[in-house]
Amino acid sequence: LIPLYILYQKYEVLRTPLPFLVPALFGQGLKGALFVIIFRQFFRTLPKELEEAARIDGASAFRLFIKVMLPLARPAILVVFLFSFVWHWNDTYLPSLFLGKEYATLPLQLDNLQSAMGDVPGYVDTSITEQVYMAASFWFVAPPLLLYLIAQKWFVQGVERTGLVE
């Protein structure tokens, strides 16, 4: 991480969302390897005859990918998107290193809840109760849960087709 930190410092993008977003968009690191495996498993399940039929019809490799394979890959794309979203949503180490206090994520804000509640006018109790932490944790869990509930049908279909097992 030291070379990454120096690189981001050189390009003056520390304390902005860019060091967090750019690697996520390009699938860098262990997560990227997992996503490649998911796509590979998905495309292995597609019949070769589909590709051969498109080639016989005169489709180039680019057209074959855009018109035939990409529409069929929607479930796999959704699985990768959901995995990536949850993975980055739960990350605390990289955001604390690169983002700073201006762009603190919800997990980091949950850690700072005790000091943040001291700034609320009219709040006299200096200790945060368990109920406040549980309410804050609910708001932390709500967006990924809502996203999963919306995309549940396609997510299950994508997991079935990619060959992932629990």
Side-chain angles (χ1 to χ4, degrees), residues 30-99:
L30 179 65
K31 299 173 282 253
L34 174 69
F35 300 154
V36 167
I37 291 170
I38 290 172
F39 280 120
R40 180 182 180 273
Q41 286 300 109
F42 175 79
F43 285 118
R44 283 185 65 194
T45 62
L46 294 177
K48 288 281 185 195
E49 291 82 13
L50 193 61
E51 182 180 347
E52 291 170 2
R55 294 249 185 232
I56 290 172
D57 288 343
S60 64
F62 181 74
R63 186 176 176 128
L64 171 72
F65 179 73
I66 295 295
K67 295 289 184 178
V68 178
M69 298 299 177
L70 200 58
L72 292 174
R74 283 187 190 138
I77 293 170
L78 182 71
V79 167
V80 167
F81 171 75
L82 287 175
F83 282 174
S84 179
F85 179 79
V86 170
W87 199 314
H88 285 91
W89 184 263
N90 291 330
D91 192 13
T92 57
Y93 183 65
L94 290 179
S96 67
L97 186 63
F98 295 135
L99 292 182

